[in-house]
C-alpha cells in the first residue's frame, strides 16, 4: 500500500450480468481511480445471499464478474481484488457492529423497504442487516473514500455513524470514510422508464443494456428507448428519456453534455438513438470479447482470487484484531 495515497473501497454483487448502468456508474470509475488511490475492490458474494440463489449459478457468476473486472481494465497488480467470502473478517466484524446498531436505523433503510416489497416471500434478517455488512466491508480497511451512487448515501451515512459511535465508545479505531459521487453517469436510467434506475432485474429486457449483449441487441434496445414527442435533443427535467440518452453518450464518449447537444442539434431522435447504440457497442463489445478469453483461463483467475484474498486477509485481520482487543475479547499469548 502506498502511504501517500488514500484508501478506497468498493464492491459489486455477483447477481446476474451487470448492466451498462453498473458499468458506467461503478466499474468504469474503478478503472479510472486505481492510479489515484490504494484501491480495494471486492466481489460481494455474501451480500448476494440475501435473496434466493442457485449455488451453481452464484459460483459461476462470481468468476464471471472477476473476469469482467479485469476485462474492463482493473489491474490485479495495482489493486487488491478479492472475493468477499474469502475474507472471514467481513462477517466477524459485522457481528461486533451489530451490537452497536439500532433496529430503527436498519428498518428505515430505503433499499430494505424496496427489497422487502420485491421479495415479499423472503424477507430475512440478512436483507435487513446487509447494510451493517457493508459497513464492515468499508471499515476493515481504514477506507478513506467510497465511490457511491445516489441510492447508497444512506448506507455510507450508517457506516460513518457506526465508525464514530465505535470510536467514541472505545477510542479512535476506524477511519470515518467520505463519499465520492461521480458528476455524470452515477445513475443511468431505464431505457423504457427513464424515471427509474436501469436494473438487470427489470422484467422488460428492452429496459436495460446487459454487458453480455452483442452489437445488434444493443442497437435494437436503443432504437426502442422511450423519448418524447418534440424531437429536440437537449437535457431537460421534462425530457427524462432524452436526458438519459445524452448522459449515456456523454459518459461513453467523454464529451460534455453541451457538446453532445451541439453535435446532435437538428438531428432526429431515430438517428440519435442509433448513434448512442453504436457508441455503447463500440465500448462494450471489446470488453465482452476479453472477458471470454479470461474465462477460458481458470488457473489465472483462481490465482488472482488467491493472491487478492491473501492481501485482503492481511489488512482486514490487522483491523479485526485491534477491534477485538478494544471491545475486550481475550486472546491468549502464544509462545514464540
Amino acid at each position: 500500500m502506498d502511504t501517500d495515497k488514500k484508501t478506497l473501497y468498493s464492491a459489486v454483487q455477483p447477481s446476474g450480468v451487470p448492466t451498462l448502468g453498473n458499468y458506467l456508474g461503478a466499474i468504469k470509475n474503478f478503472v479510472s481511480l486505481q492510479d489515484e488511490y490504494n484501491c480495494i475492490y471486492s466481489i460481494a458474494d455474501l451480500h448476494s445471499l440475501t435473496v434466493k440463489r442457485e449455488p451453481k449459478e452464484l459460483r459461476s457468476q462470481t468468476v464471471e464478474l472477476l473476469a469482467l473486472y479485469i476485462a474492463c481494465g482493473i489491474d490485479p497488480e495495482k489493486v487488491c481484488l478479492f472475493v468477499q467470502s474469502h475474507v472471514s473478517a467481513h462477517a466477524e466484524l459485522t457481528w461486533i457492529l451489530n451490537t452497536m446498531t439500532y433496529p430503527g436505523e436498519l428498518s428505515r433503510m430505503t433499499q430494505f423497504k424496496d427489497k422487502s416489497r420485491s421479495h415479499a416471500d423472503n424477507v430475512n434478517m440478512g436483507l435487513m442487516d446487509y447494510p451493517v455488512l457493508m459497513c464492515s466491508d468499508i471499515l476493515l480497511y481504514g477506507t478513506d473514500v467510497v465511490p457511491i451512487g445516489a441510492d447508497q448515501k444512506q448506507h455510507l451515512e450508517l457506516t460513518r455513524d457506526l465508525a464514530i459511535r465505535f470510536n467514541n465508545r472505545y477510542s479512535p479505531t476506524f477511519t470515518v470514510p467520505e463519499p465520492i459521487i461521480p458528476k455524470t453517469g452515477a445513475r443511468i436510467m431505464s431505457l423504457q422508464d427513464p424515471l427509474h434506475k436501469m436494473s438487470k432485474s427489470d422484467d422488460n429486457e428492452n429496459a436495460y443494456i446487459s454487458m453480455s449483449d452483442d452489437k445488434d441487441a444493443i442497437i435494437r434496445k436503443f432504437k426502442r428507448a422511450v423519448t418524447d414527442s418534440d424531437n429536440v435533443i437537449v437535457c431537460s427535467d421534462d425530457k427524462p428519456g432524452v436526458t438519459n440518452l445524452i448522459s449515456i453518450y456523454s459518459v461513453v464518449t467523454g464529451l460534455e453534455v453541451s457538446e453532445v447537444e451541439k453535435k446532435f442539434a437538428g438531428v432526429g431522435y431515430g438517428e440519435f438513438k442509433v448513434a448512442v447504440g453504436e457508441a455503447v457497442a463500440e465500448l462494450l463489445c471489446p470488453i465482452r470479447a476479453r472477458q471470454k478469453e479470461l474465462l477460458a483461463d481458470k488457473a489465472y483467475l483462481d490465482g488472482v482470487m488467491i493472491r487478492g484474498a491473501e492481501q485482503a486477509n492481511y489488512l482486514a485481520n490487522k483491523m479485526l484484531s485491534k477491534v477485538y482487543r478494544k471491545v475486550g475479547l481475550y486472546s491468549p499469548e502464544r509462545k514464540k
Side-chain angles (χ1 to χ4, degrees):
M1 303 284 280
D2 188 337
T3 55
D4 293 330
K5 294 181 179 180
K6 291 184 177 181
T7 296
L8 176 149
Y9 178 91
S10 195
V12 175
Q13 292 187 39
S15 53
V17 180
T19 67
L20 174 68
N22 298 135
Y23 174 71
L24 296 181
I27 301 174
K28 183 174 184 288
N29 293 317
F30 292 177
V31 178
S32 62
L33 294 167
Q34 66 185 352
D35 290 319
E36 186 177 351
Y37 296 94
N38 291 317
C39 290
I40 299 171
Y41 295 141
S42 174
I43 296 172
D45 54 344
L46 293 175
H47 282 289
S48 70
L49 294 175
T50 57
V51 297
K52 295 175 182 176
R53 300 296 306 275
E54 288 294 329
K56 182 178 179 181
E57 180 184 77
L58 177 56
R59 281 189 286 270
S60 64
Q61 290 179 349
T62 297
V63 179
E64 287 164 7
L65 183 56
L66 178 72
L68 181 63
Y69 268 172
I70 300 170
C72 288
I74 292 174
D75 186 348
E77 299 300 320
K78 290 183 178 180
V79 307
C80 177
L81 178 58
F82 70 100
V83 177
Q84 182 188 33
S85 63
H86 297 175
V87 182
S88 62
H90 288 254
E92 295 181 60
L93 180 59
T94 298
W95 176 251
I96 301 295
L97 295 181
N98 273 337
T99 67
M100 304 181 63
T101 307
Y102 309 123
E105 291 176 303
L106 301 182
S107 63
R108 286 193 296 269
M109 291 287 169
T110 301
Q111 285 198 22
F112 171 68
K113 295 176 183 178
D114 292 344
K115 289 190 176 184
S116 294
R117 284 191 291 267
S118 59
H119 300 281
D121 62 334
N122 186 34
V123 182
N124 57 75
M125 285 308 301
L127 197 61
M128 175 179 277
D129 197 44
Y130 88 95
V132 184
L133 176 57
M134 186 179 293
C135 295
S136 297
D137 297 340
I138 295 166
L139 297 179
L140 273 171
Y141 300 98
T143 303
D144 298 293
V145 294
V146 182
I148 61 170
D151 59 343
Q152 295 172 316
K153 286 182 179 179
Q154 273 190 317
H155 295 155
L156 189 62
E157 288 170 4
L158 177 64
T159 304
R160 291 171 53 84
D161 288 345
L162 289 180
I164 293 169
R165 194 173 300 164
F166 188 98
N167 290 348
N168 287 340
R169 184 178 298 182
Y170 294 108
S171 77
T173 306
F174 294 125
T175 300
V176 180
E178 299 289 340
I180 297 177
I181 302 176
K183 293 181 180 179
T184 58
R187 192 172 174 84
I188 302 301
M189 311 308 283
S190 164
L191 299 182
Q192 294 299 307
D193 183 3
L195 296 179
H196 292 88
K197 187 177 178 180
M198 182 179 287
S199 171
K200 56 194 167 190
S201 61
D202 200 305
D203 292 334
N204 185 351
E205 66 175 16
N206 290 311
Y208 60 91
I209 302 297
S210 169
M211 293 291 286
S212 63
D213 284 341
D214 60 22
K215 182 176 181 179
D216 290 344
I218 292 170
I219 292 176
R220 182 177 66 252
K221 289 181 181 182
F222 273 107
K223 283 182 177 179
R224 297 174 179 173
V226 169
T227 48
D228 53 61
S229 59
D230 70 9
N231 222 32
V232 179
I233 301 170
V234 294
C235 280
S236 173
D237 289 341
D238 62 352
K239 295 164 70 70
V242 175
T243 298
N244 187 40
L245 295 181
I246 292 172
S247 176
I248 291 170
Y249 192 86
S250 170
V251 177
V252 167
T253 62
L255 294 175
E256 296 292 334
V257 167
S258 59
E259 294 176 306
V260 178
E261 292 174 331
K262 183 177 180 180
K263 179 175 181 177
F264 291 98
V267 174
Y269 282 166
E271 185 178 341
F272 178 54
K273 290 178 183 180
V274 172
V276 179
E278 288 178 342
V280 170
E282 186 177 345
L283 174 69
L284 296 189
C285 289
I287 293 174
R288 184 166 164 258
R290 176 59 179 150
Q291 181 193 27
K292 186 176 180 180
E293 290 177 2
L294 289 164
L295 287 171
D297 192 347
K298 182 176 182 297
Y300 170 73
L301 293 176
D302 283 354
V304 170
M305 284 189 192
I306 292 168
R307 290 192 301 275
E310 289 173 349
Q311 185 179 2
N313 270 299
Y314 173 76
L315 296 171
N317 286 328
K318 282 178 65 177
M319 179 63 76
L320 186 65
S321 295
K322 185 186 297 185
V323 169
Y324 276 9
R325 187 172 64 254
K326 292 285 184 78
V327 301
L329 299 182
Y330 183 83
S331 178
E333 292 186 10
R334 290 174 170 81
K335 294 181 180 180
K336 296 182 180 179

